[in-house]
Amino acid sequence: MIEIIIGENEEKQRLDRFLLKYFNDSTRTNIYRLLRKKIIKVNGKKQKENYFLQKDDIIQVFLSDESIDKLIKEKKQEFVKNVSLDIVYEDSEILIVNKPKGLLTHPDQKEYKKTLTTRAQSYLKDLQTNTFKPASVNRLDQNTSGLVIFCKTYEALKKFNQMMRNREIEKYYICIVHGKISKSGEIKGYLTKDSQKNIVEIAKKNYNNKGQFIHTKYKPLSYYGDFTLLEVQILTGRTHQIRASLSKIDHPIVGDTKYGGKKIKGITTQVLHAYKLVIGDKEFVKESKDIQKIIKKISK
């Protein structure tokens, strides 16, 4: 028999969902069977699968060590030594970091270790449990730099994900676009994705109900010859939303050749930086040194 004591990062979860994460090589059917037969109890009592765990609850599992080992698939977590993170803000709930361009936010099939998430989880490794890892609530394209929020607890992750869904976290970007945009505006439409080409298109109407609604606002900040320094706010968060939106109004982002940006010597990727987050009465800002260098370049 083993005992699992519920801490702050496990509480307020449904019992069955917690057990499926903890016994990650089991099935929902098997978990329900173990609960029904009282092989798994909570605080010494039989409990239903939809019970919400409370802090300091004790889950008792009446199985042999050998049987328990068969229910758990060992997942190797690779941590980064000498973690390199540009930390903008940190408290007991969240960690806000500045992602450099060229770095993936999340691991993919080709790359696991060299990602922002792996760096953040390495920095916060003492907070990890068998069923919880610090996780981000927003993401950026590989070649977009800027602010990413990581939640340090399960409760914070639920809270900030809900805030993101309710648009209670304001997200602002800064970019350099081709042409002169003389006044503020907004772009609304429906986004569809071509997965094979990894490109999106925006239409005014939602044809065949396959599109995702997007809403983008923009404001010109200054001008440099045939270029505009633009602040962009996204009210929805879709793949390539800003890049496709600005291309749609014939002002593609400098360096973004995928969406119509012209090639400029020395600029190989889109000049786009997530520079500001507004959460309640708090504002977090991180300017881009790369964009300042590019402004000096195009000002000549």
Side-chain angles (χ1 to χ4, degrees):
M1 189 266 282
I2 65 166
E3 291 188 337
I4 305 166
I5 301 173
I6 300 303
E8 291 180 354
N9 282 336
E10 292 84 27
E11 67 175 336
K12 299 181 181 178
Q13 297 184 63
R14 273 179 55 133
L15 175 60
D16 56 347
R17 292 172 185 168
F18 169 83
L19 291 171
L20 277 168
K21 286 186 283 186
Y22 193 92
F23 297 113
N24 58 7
D25 206 21
S26 185
T27 63
R28 189 178 298 275
T29 300
N30 188 46
I31 293 295
Y32 284 8
R33 181 183 67 82
L34 295 174
L35 288 168
R36 187 174 64 252
K37 292 191 172 184
K38 302 181 185 179
I39 295 171
I40 297 179
K41 296 181 179 181
V42 180
N43 302 323
K45 298 178 181 178
K46 180 181 178 180
Q47 204 50 266
K48 291 185 177 180
E49 63 273 3
N50 61 356
Y51 170 75
F52 278 86
L53 293 165
Q54 304 299 315
K55 189 174 181 294
D56 298 326
D57 275 351
I58 300 175
I59 298 174
Q60 292 114 348
V61 184
F62 296 91
L63 289 171
S64 67
D65 290 346
E66 183 180 356
S67 296
I68 289 171
D69 288 342
K70 289 179 181 179
L71 298 176
I72 301 174
K73 182 189 293 183
E74 193 67 34
K75 289 186 177 181
K76 187 178 180 181
Q77 171 76 50
E78 292 190 52
F79 293 117
V80 179
K81 295 180 180 179
N82 302 318
V83 179
S84 174
L85 278 179
D86 183 0
I87 298 173
V88 176
Y89 175 80
E90 183 177 5
D91 63 19
S92 60
E93 289 189 307
I94 59 173
L95 171 74
I96 300 178
V97 298
N98 178 37
K99 185 187 86 67
K101 69 177 182 180
L103 186 69
L104 288 168
T105 301
H106 297 126
D108 63 12
Q109 293 178 341
K110 296 180 180 179
E111 181 57 63
Y112 176 82
K113 201 167 184 179
K114 295 178 182 178
T115 70
L116 187 69
T117 294
T118 302
R119 290 184 185 182
Q121 289 178 346
S122 297
Y123 174 74
L124 300 170
K125 63 182 179 181
D126 292 342
L127 298 178
Q128 296 199 37
T129 70
N130 286 347
T131 60
F132 174 80
K133 294 179 182 179
S136 67
V137 295
N138 64 318
R139 66 176 298 163
L140 299 175
D141 291 345
Q142 182 173 3
N143 290 315
T144 298
S145 59
L147 301 179
V148 177
I149 305 169
F150 284 88
C151 290
K152 300 169 71 173
T153 67
Y154 176 71
E155 192 63 26
L157 186 60
K158 289 195 300 180
K159 171 185 170 182
F160 281 86
N161 272 330
Q162 187 63 47
M163 291 176 70
M164 196 68 76
R165 285 192 291 269
N166 293 342
R167 300 179 186 176
E168 295 171 4
I169 298 176
E170 298 176 22
K171 296 171 286 183
Y172 295 86
Y173 293 68
I174 197 165
C175 60
I176 301 173
V177 299
H178 291 278
K180 186 173 182 178
I181 297 179
S182 58
K183 60 181 180 179
S184 300
E186 61 182 347
I187 304 157
K188 294 181 180 180
Y190 294 89
L191 180 149
T192 55
K193 184 176 181 179
D194 185 331
S195 298
Q196 291 185 334
K197 295 180 179 179
N198 191 29
I199 199 167
V200 304
E201 293 183 353
I202 294 174
K204 288 185 178 180
K205 295 183 180 180
N206 191 7
Y207 297 103
N208 300 320
N209 292 319
K210 292 183 178 180
Q212 295 178 307
F213 177 72
I214 62 103
H215 189 185
T216 307
K217 292 183 176 181
Y218 58 87
K219 178 175 71 174
L221 301 177
S222 52
Y223 307 101
Y224 304 94
D226 294 328
F227 305 98
T228 302
L229 181 66
L230 204 66
E231 180 187 76
V232 179
Q233 180 186 9
I234 55 171
L235 286 85
T236 54
R238 310 295 187 193
T239 301
H240 297 184
Q241 176 179 326
I242 295 174
R243 298 165 65 186
S245 294
L246 296 175
S247 178
K248 183 73 175 176
I249 61 171
D250 298 322
H251 291 285
I253 297 172
V254 167
D256 191 5
T257 55
K258 179 176 281 191
Y259 288 96
K262 295 177 183 178
K263 289 185 177 180
I264 296 176
K265 187 177 180 180
I267 301 174
T268 58
T269 59
Q270 68 266 16
V271 183
L272 178 63
H273 176 72
Y275 88 107
K276 183 168 70 173
L277 291 167
V278 180
I279 307 173
D281 59 353
K282 293 181 179 179
E283 185 176 287
F284 307 97
V285 176
K286 183 71 176 185
E287 300 292 348
S288 168
K289 292 181 180 178
D290 286 340
I291 288 182
Q292 294 303 318
K293 289 178 183 178
I294 292 170
I295 287 173
K296 289 181 181 179
K297 182 184 179 73
I298 62 178
S299 298
K300 295 179 181 179

